[in-house]
Amino acid sequence: MQSASENMLHRGPDDQNYHCLKPDSSEYYVFLGINRLVINNKISGIQPYISDLGRYLMVFNGEIFNHQQIRQELKSKGYQINTQTSEADTIGVGYKAKGIDIFNELNGMFAIAIFDKVTNNLDLAVDFPGMKNLLVTSNKNELFFASELSAIISMKGRHYEIDTQSVDRFLGTGFIQAPFTIYKNVIRLSQGRLLRASIGKSIKLKYQQIILNQTTEKYTNNESTLEDILVRSTRRWLMSDYPISSLISGGIDSALISAIASKDHQISSFCFGFSDNHLNSFNEIEEAKITAQYIGAEFNEVVISQQMFFDCLRDSLLIHAEPFAGSIPSYFLFKEISKRFRVTLTGHGGDEIFGNYGRQPIFNNSGQIDLAKTYFQLYSSQAPNIFSHDIFEEQARNIQKSNFYYNDLFSFELHNELVNDFLRYNDIYSMRFSVESRSPFLDKDLISLRLKKPQMFMSSNIYDPKEKLRQIAKHYLPTESIHRSKKGLTFPFSFGLRDGLFDCDLNYIIDKLMLDDLISKHNNYYLKNVIQQFNTGNNKDLELIWRIICLWVWYQNYNE
């Protein structure tokens, strides 16, 4: 267990602690370990947390931005909290007072494990948006959990079987949808899920959902504009004993968060780009620099060559410990940020809350969104003949089971790329370099209000889904930044493949994956055709080619 914790030392290099106990009425041992990255409360925030009488034992990863508000409420009801500022103490006493209901009140990003020595219950909980995750593997005799998959699979003496359906999930969409992972016997606890493990003669599991039906502050239509709410939410996420940095691009989301933050803090912004002349179309550095100068933020360029990108490709992919095909530039950004900062802000969630990417859902005869067909429409163009409709129907069923599906495109987007791709790589890459990444658009109050009062956020202009956000941005950003379309953290893998910077035989890869039963004969035939088209200069299925390569990099390492 110590070895597994040390596998994640990068997530918390400041403080490493463990606690092991054997409950009186159980044959099991309970071991909790924590690697702490200090952002606030260096002295008073030491973990694992142990309650006054020793009943509750807790480890906690993340930040709770309304913990002082919760603390005051608990004190007013007669509960004693020993420290002045520790979030862990607030959660621990809150759990004593309210049980698992305390998780409904937390505004922030978190993964929490609390063991009750009296009931022998272990509760695992994660924040609703999915900014923090827990990986869990269990049987009737044991349960392991960790913030990263790499820690789970580092435990010796355990076998993890590849889930070939997750290979299909990955090749079909570019990510593996929670609760699944690449392994059959490992799940990902995400998006407000609560897992209770009752420890007796065996371990019994029960899943629940955190309730997202209330805001942490009071808002009225007369007193609070959308701008007021966004500003208050952003300021709440600036809680830190250390200087704050931000990611900034040519688009509006990260720029607006940076601009609001710069009203109260001196912000240092970071933007990614390539040094190669033929890749200038991928760069947003000049656009981001204009924004940074306008809001008075220090501007930092993180510029690499195409060669450097591919030289670091293997390392940047294997960090995830399962197939990954997302934003590699984030790896280089957080690596550079970590040289000076522990906290950075991002614009993740802005598209989902305000824009929905301009996508149009497919409706059934009852006027309800047909999730499976909407999924298929979204991803089938990237791999039209390779996968059955089953993986999209499966994901549709998972979304509909959630307490947070409101039959609209917003709640669909919350369960799609945001949690399964963007927030996942954001956490893995930032914490790899001991940086805490925060996304104020995903403040609980903003999401709750968006679900309750969509009219406050939705545009009346079908050609500009972010009209409401642009109206707010007029008070903070230059005109050219408000109306410019962002390029995103994209990367030119097609150039590198054609230039021979990543040496691989795609036909051999497909044959090997089929021989090892990771893909079917039907998919082998189709993928061979895709590769043939690519080799003749056709870029139609580049996304799929990239996923094949990412899958292969992971699979080679798995076999090693």
Side-chain angles (χ1 to χ4, degrees), residues 287-466:
E287 295 92 334
K289 185 184 294 184
I290 292 172
T291 300
Q293 291 173 344
Y294 186 88
I295 66 175
E298 177 191 9
F299 184 69
N300 300 274
E301 302 176 12
V302 181
V303 179
I304 68 167
S305 66
Q306 179 179 258
Q307 181 68 58
M308 186 185 302
F309 177 90
F310 279 91
D311 286 347
C312 296
L313 181 61
R314 179 179 168 84
D315 287 344
S316 62
L317 291 176
L318 293 181
I319 288 172
H320 296 267
E322 65 180 337
F324 170 75
S327 175
I328 306 296
S330 297
Y331 170 88
F332 298 96
L333 276 166
F334 288 119
K335 185 176 183 179
E336 186 64 28
I337 288 171
S338 69
K339 295 175 182 178
R340 296 169 50 204
F341 295 94
R342 290 178 173 231
V343 181
T344 196
L345 306 174
T346 82
H348 287 307
D351 283 314
E352 287 75 14
I353 288 181
F354 286 93
N356 290 336
Y357 300 95
R359 293 168 177 165
Q360 297 300 316
I362 296 176
F363 294 92
N364 58 27
N365 293 334
S366 302
Q368 304 289 308
I369 292 178
D370 189 319
L371 286 176
K373 288 183 179 179
T374 299
Y375 253 107
F376 192 72
Q377 171 186 256
L378 182 58
Y379 293 108
S380 63
S381 62
Q382 300 170 20
N385 300 309
I386 185 170
F387 308 108
S388 70
H389 206 259
D390 292 348
I391 62 170
F392 303 108
E393 291 177 343
E394 170 193 70
Q395 183 63 359
R397 288 193 298 270
N398 287 336
I399 292 176
Q400 287 168 330
K401 290 177 185 176
S402 167
N403 290 349
F404 309 117
Y405 181 63
Y406 284 59
N407 190 42
D408 63 5
L409 201 56
F410 169 61
S411 47
F412 167 79
E413 296 289 8
L414 285 180
H415 291 82
N416 193 33
E417 290 158 307
L418 178 68
V419 63
N420 293 308
D421 188 3
F422 306 151
L423 296 181
R424 194 174 298 171
Y425 74 66
N426 194 58
D427 178 67
I428 291 292
Y429 281 144
S430 63
M431 295 302 285
R432 180 68 178 187
F433 298 107
S434 306
V435 174
E436 183 175 271
S437 180
R438 301 176 177 179
S439 304
F441 278 121
L442 298 176
D443 182 84
K444 183 186 177 186
D445 285 6
L446 272 176
I447 295 177
S448 298
L449 286 168
R450 177 61 177 81
L451 289 169
K452 287 182 176 181
K453 301 179 179 181
Q455 69 279 2
M456 288 184 67
F457 298 78
M458 293 176 64
S459 169
S460 59
N461 183 352
I462 61 173
Y463 300 105
D464 184 11
K466 284 188 173 179

Side-chain angles (χ1 to χ4, degrees), residues 29 35 114 130 160 202 246 260 274 318 352 355 383 390-391 406 425-426 439 479 501:
Y29 285 90
N35 298 324
I114 302 181
Y160 298 96
S202 62
S246 72
I260 294 173
F274 287 98
L318 293 181
E352 287 75 14
D390 292 348
I391 62 170
Y406 284 59
Y425 74 66
N426 194 58
S439 304
T479 302
L501 297 181

Side-chain angles (χ1 to χ4, degrees), residues 218-229 232 456:
K218 302 297 183 183
Y219 301 98
T220 66
N221 289 335
N222 294 331
E223 296 175 356
S224 301
T225 65
L226 183 56
E227 179 178 346
D228 294 333
I229 298 168
R232 286 159 69 178
M456 288 184 67

Side-chain angles (χ1 to χ4, degrees), residues 36-210:
R36 185 169 175 235
L37 175 66
V38 174
I39 305 296
N40 298 289
N41 315 315
K42 183 174 183 178
I43 303 300
S44 60
I46 294 174
Q47 298 184 49
Y49 163 88
I50 302 175
S51 62
D52 284 347
L53 300 178
R55 175 175 177 176
Y56 303 108
L57 178 67
M58 179 185 74
V59 287
F60 151 65
N61 170 32
E63 299 288 348
I64 306 301
F65 299 110
N66 67 329
H67 82 95
Q68 289 288 3
Q69 180 180 331
I70 295 172
R71 172 182 290 255
Q72 292 305 316
E73 179 200 342
L74 292 169
K75 285 184 174 181
S76 70
K77 294 181 179 180
Y79 289 96
Q80 181 178 349
I81 303 179
N82 294 329
T83 65
Q84 296 296 316
T85 57
S86 170
E87 297 161 89
D89 276 359
T90 303
I91 299 169
V93 176
Y95 186 84
K96 175 183 177 181
K98 303 182 180 184
I100 61 174
D101 288 342
I102 189 61
F103 300 134
N104 300 330
E105 301 180 19
L106 304 180
N107 188 348
M109 50 187 189
F110 58 86
I112 301 172
I114 302 181
F115 180 72
D116 184 339
K117 288 175 64 176
V118 173
T119 64
N120 280 352
N121 287 334
L122 173 69
D123 285 330
L124 304 176
V126 294
D127 64 76
F128 164 68
M131 289 172 280
K132 296 295 180 183
N133 290 258
L134 280 176
L135 287 302
V136 182
T137 182
S138 67
N139 55 42
K140 65 179 182 179
N141 295 317
E142 60 185 13
L143 180 145
F144 297 105
F145 65 91
S147 292
E148 292 188 9
L149 185 56
S150 60
I152 294 285
I153 62 177
S154 72
M155 298 177 190
K156 296 179 180 179
R158 297 179 58 81
H159 174 68
Y160 298 96
E161 183 181 352
I162 294 174
D163 185 350
T164 54
Q165 285 187 295
S166 284
V167 174
D168 278 358
R169 295 177 187 114
F170 174 74
L171 290 176
T173 62
F175 48 80
I176 299 173
Q177 299 88 348
F180 307 104
T181 69
I182 193 61
Y183 299 109
K184 285 184 177 180
N185 51 339
V186 182
I187 65 163
R188 175 173 281 104
L189 197 65
S190 183
Q191 281 200 304
R193 297 286 283 177
L194 171 68
L195 172 60
R196 168 162 286 182
S198 298
I199 303 172
K201 292 183 179 179
S202 62
I203 299 176
K204 298 179 181 179
L205 305 181
K206 180 181 179 181
Y207 292 90
Q208 294 177 245
Q209 188 87 50
I210 291 175

